Structure formats: C-alpha cells, structure tokens
C-alpha cells in the first residue's frame, strides 16, 4: 500500500475516493480548503505554493500516487482551481512521485469537454499558454465556458505531458479521466439554484 495525495478530498467524489483508497489500505494526504490534512486554496498562487510545501512535508518527500481532483463549477474559480490549481499540483508534486519506484498521477477532467461544441478555443489556448488572466476573461462568459474550458485544457495538458521525460520517462504514469455527471453536493446545490 502507498501514500497518495488527493486534492478536493473534503467533499463529493473526492471524499468518496478517499474512503475507497483508505479502505484499500492506502495512506491519504487530503488537500482542500477545509477538513483536510493540508488546508490550501488552489485558486491562488500562494495557496498552490503552500500546498506543495505542506504535502512535501507530510509525505516525507515521497508519494506513490497523486489525484488532482479539486474542481469547482463557479465561473470565477473554474480556471484558477480546475486548470491552474491542478497543473500546480501535478508539476509541484511530480518530484515526490519521481522518488517512488512505481508511481502514478491522475487528473480529473470531465466529459463536459465533449458536450460543448461552441466552446471558444481561446480559453483552452490561454490555459495551455499559462495565461491565467486571459483564460479568466473567457471564463466570465459563464459556466459552460469556464468549467468545460478549464477541464478540456487539463486533459490536453495531460495528453501532451504524459509521454515526456518528466513523466513516463521518469517512470511516472500520468492519466486524465473524464467522468460524467456525478450527484455531489456541489451539483445538487447548483441545480437547486437553477430551478428555484
């Protein structure tokens, strides 16, 4: 069994993933804005840096697994958390995975990346270029742009990086998964607001 860092561990699918991992005998270092071993706000550069430092300290310099699962639907936070927070997690904690002999990382994307044909490609391009401010401007067009755009950019980043020397070349498997709709408190709350 190994040590796995999990962002978004306090609620929804992250909490369920944590239960499963711990049931299987893994040690989980949870990262979230509340109720976690590492309290960090992945929407901010300072929070991302603090997360990397705290996880590094908590795991003793070695991780067997990483799940970049923190995600939000809010159009003001989707790009900072879903894309830039996830990338900071993957890049910042990659050296800890490299210290393990058989490590893997998973980024949680979304099937919404395939259900929004009118998604402006500029939001994805801005994310991949590291231009958070420009990506945020596109995200202000609403949920379907910010959420889907940030998740599509994350999937594309994984696809581009998984095959590089930093990842599989260093013995670290990197994958993205794109789940469909999951009934979480976040989704239920959003639907209640839409239909009230």
């Amino acid at each position: 069994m190994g040590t796995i860092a999990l962002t978004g561990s306090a609620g929804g699918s992250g909490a369920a993933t944590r239960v499963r991992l711990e049931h299987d005998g893994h040690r989980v270092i949870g990262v979230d804005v509340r109720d976690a071993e590492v309290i960090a706000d992945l929407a901010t550069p300072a929070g991302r840096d603090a997360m990397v430092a705290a996880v590094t300290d908590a795991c003793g310099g070695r991780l067997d697994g990483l799940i970049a699962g923190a995600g939000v639907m809010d159009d003001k936070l989707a790009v900072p958390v879903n894309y830039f927070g996830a990338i900071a997690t993957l890049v910042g904690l990659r050296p800890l995975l490299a210290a393990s002999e058989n490590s893997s990382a998973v980024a949680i994307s979304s099937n919404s990346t395939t259900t929004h044909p009118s998604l402006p490609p500029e939001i994805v391009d801005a994310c991949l270029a590291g231009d958070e401010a420009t990506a945020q401007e596109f995200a202000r067009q609403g949920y379907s742009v910010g959420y889907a755009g940030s998740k599509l950019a994350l999937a594309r980043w994984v696809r581009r990086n998984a095959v590089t020397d930093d990842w599989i070349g260093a013995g670290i498997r990197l994958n993205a998964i794109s789940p469909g709709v999951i009934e979480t408190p976040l989704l239920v709350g959003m639907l209640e607001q839409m239909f009230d």
Side-chain angles (χ1 to χ4, degrees):
M1 297 305 113
T3 299
I4 300 172
L6 167 63
T7 66
S9 64
S13 58
T17 301
R18 178 183 192 125
V19 168
R20 176 59 190 260
L21 289 170
E22 290 177 338
H23 178 266
D24 290 346
H26 298 285
R27 174 183 174 224
V28 176
I29 300 171
V31 178
D32 214 310
V33 293
R34 61 177 172 77
D35 302 327
E37 288 77 11
V38 173
I39 306 297
D41 182 358
L42 298 181
T44 68
R48 298 167 196 155
D49 290 344
M51 175 274 302
V52 170
V55 171
T56 299
D57 185 55
C59 74
R62 182 178 164 277
L63 284 175
D64 301 295
L66 170 61
I67 302 170
V72 297
M73 295 179 176
D74 182 290
D75 61 340
K76 294 176 183 172
L77 295 175
V79 165
V81 173
N82 299 353
Y83 181 78
F84 288 95
I87 299 308
T89 299
L90 293 165
V91 171
L93 300 181
R94 190 199 67 76
L96 308 178
L97 294 166
S100 178
E101 291 184 13
N102 187 26
S103 61
S104 59
V106 176
I108 308 299
S109 182
S110 169
N111 79 337
S112 68
T113 63
T114 62
T115 60
H116 294 283
S118 61
L119 183 67
E122 294 88 355
I123 188 170
V124 175
D125 295 340
C127 285
L128 291 169
D131 186 348
E132 191 167 348
T134 298
Q136 277 290 81
E137 287 298 317
F138 284 101
R140 289 188 178 93
Q141 295 177 25
Y143 154 75
S144 63
V145 174
Y147 182 78
S150 63
K151 291 295 192 174
L152 179 56
L154 178 59
R156 288 191 180 165
W157 186 93
V158 168
R159 185 179 306 148
R160 291 177 182 181
N161 285 274
V163 297
T164 65
D165 289 341
D166 284 344
W167 290 93
I168 197 61
I172 309 166
R173 295 176 306 281
L174 172 63
N175 290 284
I177 62 170
S178 298
V181 177
I182 300 171
E183 188 177 331
T184 63
L186 181 67
L187 177 65
V188 170
M190 186 184 83
L191 291 175
E192 286 173 352
Q193 286 180 349
M194 289 173 60
F195 295 108
D196 275 349

